[in-house]
Amino acid sequence: MFRLEARTSTPAWFNLALPLLAIGATLILCSGLIAIAGAGVVEAYGVMLSASLGDSYAITETLVRAAPMIFTGLAVAVAFRAKFWNIGAEGQLLAGAVASCAVGAIPMPGYLAMLLMAVAGAAAGAVVAQVPATLRVKFKVDDVVSSLLLNSVIYYALMALIEGPWKDSFSGYPISPPIEDAANFPVLIEGTRLHLGVIVALVAAPLIWFLIARTTLGFRIRVTGENPEAARYGGINVQRVLLSTALLTGALAGLAGVGEVGGVHFQVMSDISPGYGYSGIVVAMLARLNPLGVVPAAIFLAAVMTGAEAMSRATGVPAFLSDVIQGTALLAMLVALLFTAYRVRRVGASR
Amino acid sequence: MSAVFEQIFQVGFLAAIIRIATPLAFATLGEMFSERAGVLNLGIEGIMLLSAMAGFTATSLSGSLWLGVLVAVLTGALMGAVHALFTVALGLSQHVCGIGVTLFCSGLAYFLYRLIFGQQSVPPSIKGFQPVPIPLLSDIPILGPAVFNQFALVYLAIIAVPLAAFVLYRTPWGLSVRMVGENPRAADSAGVSVIGTRFQAVILGGALMGLAGAFLTMAQFNAFTFGVVSGRGWVAIALVVFGRWDPWRSAGAALLFAFVDALQLRMQASGLGHIPYEAFLMLPFIFTIVAMAVMSRNAVAPSALLKPFRREER
C-alpha cells in the first residue's frame, strides 16, 4: 500500500517543477487521443509547436491569444487567494467587452477613447463580480453557483444586445457596430496583430504580484483566504475584503474583454471569447495562484490553442484537442499540487 | 393581454414543463446524492455533455435506444468515479476538480464527436424516444396527455424521485451516505467506510447525470449539438440548494424551474413586443439566482460538504 504523509516543508524547486511535470503528464495522456485520431503523435505536437512558437509571427499570434488569459488568469488567482470562488470570469469578460465597445463607438481622440474603454470595461467586470460577492456576504449564497449562473445571464444579455439594438442593420449579422478607428489599439509590430493591450497584460502581472505580495490589501486578501477566523481575530473586516477582492477580480476579467474589443475584434460578437474565462482557472492553477506564474501559464495555453488549429489542418486531428489538453492540464496540476503538501510513502500491507 | 395569456397556458404547456423538468430532475438528484455524501460535483455540466454525446453515438451506431441510454449512464458513472478519485481518494479541491472534469469532458465530447461524425453542415440525427401512452391514465383530462403520454425516460424520472427518497432515508446505504456527508469521523467510528460510501454516492450521482444527458440527445433534441446542455448542469447545482438537499424538494425545484423555462419559451413564441428572445432565455437563470438568495438563508448544507476526509488527520 501507498500512503500520503504530510510534508513539513516544501522544497523550493517544486514551484517550477510541478507545473512542468503536470504539462508533461498532460501531453503524454493526450497523445493517446492523437493516436486514436490516426495521426503521428510526434508530428502532431511538432506542428503545434512550430505553428505557435516557430517563427516571430507565430509568437506574436500566441501572445495576442495569451493576453486575455493573462487577465482572466490574474482575476482567478486574485479571487482564489481570498477563497472567493469566482467562476464568473467569463461573464465579467463579456461585460467588459460590451462596455468598452459602447465607449469605443463614441468619437473622441484615440488615447482618451482607449483609456475610457479600459475604465468602462474594468468597471463593468467589477460590477458583475460584485453580484456573487454581495450575495455571499449578505445572503450566504454559494459564490461558485451564483458566479457560474451569471455567466449565462451575461451571455444572453450580450446576445440580446447584438440581436436587438446593436444588430448590424446593413449585413443583418448579430454583431455590434465597430468601434471608432481612432479607438483601435495601436499595433506594435507592423504586419502582426500584436497590440497595445498585450503589453498592458504583460505589465499587469508584476503589478498584481506587487499588490498581492507587498501591499496591505494584498496581505488582507491572503490572510482572509488562508484563515478567515484568524483574519477576523486580527481585526480584518473579512466581508469588506471579499467585496474589494470582487472589485479587483472583476476589473481584471473585464480588462480581458477590453483587449479583445480594442485590439483584436474591434466589435462584439457572440463568440468573442472561446471560454477565456474558464481558461483563466487553468492558468491560475498552473501558476499556483502566483501572478508572475500567470504569464508563462497563459502563454502555454495560448500556444496550445494556436497550435491546435494548425495541427488540425495538417493532420486532421480535431482542434478540440486543445480543450481536452486544458481540462487534463488542470486535473494534472491539481494532482501535482498534492505533492507540495504530501509525500507518498510505501507502507507495509499490515495496515 | 388575455389572448397572450391563453396562448401561454395551452394544453401542451403542462407536457412541456414535464419534459423540461425531466433532465433537470435526473441531474439534480445526481448532484444531490453526491453532495449528501459531502462531495460537490461541478463536473456535472461536462458529464452531462459527454454522456449526451456517448449515448447519441451508441444509438446512432447500433440503432438501439436503450443501449444508448446504458452507454450514457456508464459514461456518467465513469466520470463520477474520476471526480471521486480526485476529490475523495486524493482529497483535492472539489471546486477546481469539478471545473477540471467539466473542461475535460466537454473537450472530449466535442473531440470524439468530430472524430466520429466529421464536420457536417446538417448534424446527424437519430429517431429518438417516442411518447408511450399509459392505458387508462392517459385518458384523464389535462393531466393524462401531459403526464401519461410521455417518453419512457420521463416515467423513469417520475419513479426516480420517490425511489431516491426511499434510498436516502430508508435504507442502510442512504443512512451511510447522510452520515459521511454530515459527520464523516463519526461514520468512520461506526465502521462505515467514508471513502467507499463517498465513491459510491458520487458514482451513482454521475450515472444519474448521464441519464440527464441521454434524455437531451435521445428524447428532446435527437441530435448532438454544441449547446445541447447549455447551462442545465449549473442550474441543477442551484436546484439542489433550492431543494435543500432533499429528493422531493429538489424535484419540486426542477418543476418550478421548468415552469419558468416553459413560460419563457411561450413568451418568446407569442412575440411579446420587440423584446429579443435572449432576454427571455436569461429569465430562468435570474430566477434561479434570486431563488437561491431567498432560500440560502436557512438552507442547511451537509456539514462535511467540500471537506476532504483523511483518516490520519485530526
Side-chain angles (χ1 to χ4, degrees):
Chain A
M1 272 298 281
F2 292 96
R3 193 173 116 177
L4 292 174
E5 189 174 88
R7 277 183 191 275
T8 44
S9 67
T10 311
W13 56 270
F14 261 51
N15 291 327
L16 197 63
L18 284 179
L20 294 179
L21 198 72
I23 288 170
T26 301
L27 295 180
I28 291 169
L29 284 172
C30 290
S31 63
L33 291 175
I34 297 176
I36 291 171
V41 172
V42 178
E43 186 206 351
Y45 281 140
V47 173
M48 280 177 83
L49 192 65
S50 67
S52 57
L53 300 167
D55 55 55
S56 55
Y57 180 76
I59 291 172
T60 62
E61 278 299 293
T62 298
L63 284 175
V64 168
R65 223 185 249 267
M69 288 191 278
I70 292 175
F71 275 123
T72 55
L74 290 173
V76 174
V78 166
F80 281 17
R81 272 291 172 94
K83 292 224 165 65
F84 168 52
W85 298 105
N86 180 16
I87 320 287
E90 183 77 7
Q92 290 142 26
L93 179 156
L94 296 178
V98 167
S100 63
C101 187
V103 170
I106 303 167
M108 63 180 116
Y111 281 98
L112 181 65
M114 289 173 215
L115 185 66
L116 290 183
M117 280 169 74
V119 171
V127 167
V128 172
Q130 203 65 17
V131 175
T134 309
L135 286 173
R136 168 167 157 184
V137 167
K138 297 258 192 278
F139 300 98
K140 290 192 203 157
V141 174
D142 187 32
D143 38 355
V144 176
V145 183
S146 60
S147 61
L148 261 173
L149 291 173
L150 265 178
N151 288 341
S152 301
V153 174
I154 304 290
Y155 175 74
Y156 288 127
L158 181 150
M159 289 301 290
L161 203 56
I162 58 179
E163 289 267 15
W166 274 12
K167 187 169 185 162
D168 189 341
S169 54
F170 182 67
S171 69
Y173 288 124
I175 46 175
S176 79
I179 57 173
E180 290 284 310
D181 285 348
N184 292 3
F185 290 2
V187 170
L188 301 173
I189 301 173
E190 196 70 34
T192 70
R193 299 199 296 170
L194 196 72
H195 59 85
L196 183 65
V198 180
I199 303 300
V200 177
L202 291 170
V203 173
L207 287 180
I208 296 298
W209 173 83
F210 183 82
L211 184 101
I212 293 291
R214 294 281 185 271
T215 66
T216 319
L217 176 65
F219 173 74
R220 288 189 178 134
I221 288 176
R222 283 182 287 134
V223 175
T224 299
E226 274 153 32
N227 193 338
E229 286 306 313
R232 218 166 271 134
Y233 192 70
I236 293 174
N237 185 335
V238 170
Q239 301 203 334
R240 193 181 296 165
V241 173
L242 282 173
L243 294 174
S244 315
T245 308
L247 286 178
L248 186 58
T249 179
L252 286 165
L255 285 174
V258 175
E260 291 309 280
V261 169
V264 181
H265 299 293
F266 314 114
Q267 57 193 178
V268 170
M269 65 283 265
S270 65
D271 56 352
I272 188 160
S273 164
Y276 287 139
Y278 301 105
S279 304
I281 299 169
V282 185
V283 169
M285 293 313 290
L286 281 178
R288 299 196 53 197
L289 306 188
N290 181 338
L292 292 179
V294 159
V295 174
I299 290 175
F300 165 70
L301 281 198
V304 168
M305 284 170 147
T306 319
E309 283 157 21
M311 172 206 66
S312 182
R313 280 192 299 273
T315 64
V317 177
F320 293 111
L321 186 70
S322 75
D323 297 342
V324 185
I325 290 179
Q326 282 197 39
T328 312
L330 179 50
L331 293 173
M333 187 60 201
L334 285 169
V335 175
L337 281 176
L338 195 67
F339 296 113
T340 60
Y342 297 91
R343 70 172 93 217
V344 181
R345 258 291 163 85
R346 257 198 117 102
V347 292
S350 57
R351 201 181 86 74
Chain B
M1 192 62 205
S2 71
V4 173
F5 205 71
E6 262 170 44
Q7 204 179 352
I8 287 172
F9 295 98
Q10 292 162 354
V11 187
F13 189 58
L14 190 57
I17 293 175
I18 304 245
R19 278 181 198 183
I20 295 170
T22 298
L24 287 172
F26 283 133
T28 305
L29 288 177
E31 184 70 32
M32 186 211 67
F33 270 112
S34 185
E35 290 191 23
R36 268 297 175 114
V39 182
L40 174 74
N41 190 350
L42 288 183
I44 182 168
E45 183 84 4
I47 293 176
M48 282 172 70
L49 189 73
L50 187 63
S51 305
M53 195 284 301
F56 173 81
T57 305
T59 297
S60 179
L61 298 181
S62 73
S64 162
L65 282 167
W66 287 105
L67 182 71
V69 171
L70 183 69
V71 168
V73 167
L74 289 177
T75 306
L78 179 68
M79 288 302 138
V82 169
H83 185 64
L85 178 71
F86 288 120
T87 57
V88 178
L90 299 178
L92 300 167
S93 157
Q94 296 181 5
H95 290 134
V96 192
C97 281
I99 295 292
V101 170
T102 283
L103 286 177
F104 173 77
C105 288
S106 315
L108 195 63
Y110 294 140
F111 179 88
L112 293 176
Y113 179 79
R114 184 56 59 80
L115 200 61
I116 295 165
F117 294 98
Q119 200 159 9
Q120 301 182 17
S121 51
V122 180
S125 59
I126 53 168
K127 190 176 188 306
F129 280 97
Q130 301 300 312
V132 184
I134 293 184
L136 297 178
L137 288 174
S138 60
D139 296 331
I140 304 170
I142 304 171
L143 208 61
V147 182
F148 298 109
N149 186 18
Q150 287 282 11
F151 308 124
L153 290 179
V154 172
Y155 301 135
L156 199 58
I158 294 173
I159 298 166
V161 178
L163 191 63
F166 178 81
V167 167
L168 192 62
Y169 297 124
R170 299 266 182 272
T171 65
W173 185 76
L175 178 66
S176 303
V177 168
R178 286 180 288 136
M179 276 177 83
V180 301
E182 288 295 338
N183 193 340
R185 210 152 297 286
D188 187 52
S189 316
V192 174
S193 163
V194 177
I195 303 289
T197 308
R198 284 188 170 174
F199 251 93
Q200 291 155 14
V202 179
I203 289 172
L204 173 67
L208 285 163
M209 292 166 195
L211 214 45
F215 184 87
L216 294 175
T217 45
M218 303 174 62
Q220 202 163 345
F221 300 114
N222 299 336
F224 179 80
T225 53
F226 278 41
V228 77
V229 179
S230 67
R232 285 179 180 82
W234 307 137
V235 167
I237 293 170
L239 292 180
V240 174
V241 180
F242 193 54
R244 294 189 187 183
W245 293 268
D246 171 78
W248 290 107
R249 284 168 184 267
S250 294
L255 277 172
L256 189 62
F257 180 90
F259 170 76
V260 178
D261 205 18
L263 195 65
Q264 166 272 116
L265 284 170
R266 297 284 152 135
M267 278 155 69
Q268 273 183 49
S270 69
L272 273 175
H274 300 288
I275 308 168
Y277 70 94
E278 289 88 358
F280 295 114
L281 290 176
M282 279 194 275
L283 280 181
F285 293 96
I286 294 174
F287 163 78
T288 309
I289 295 171
V290 172
M292 276 181 71
V294 175
M295 296 298 287
S296 285
R297 287 202 153 186
N298 39 20
V300 271
S303 33
L305 188 62
L306 298 175
K307 296 193 185 96
F309 177 75
R310 285 200 186 90
R311 205 173 195 174
E312 298 81 7
E313 288 171 18
R314 298 266 139 182

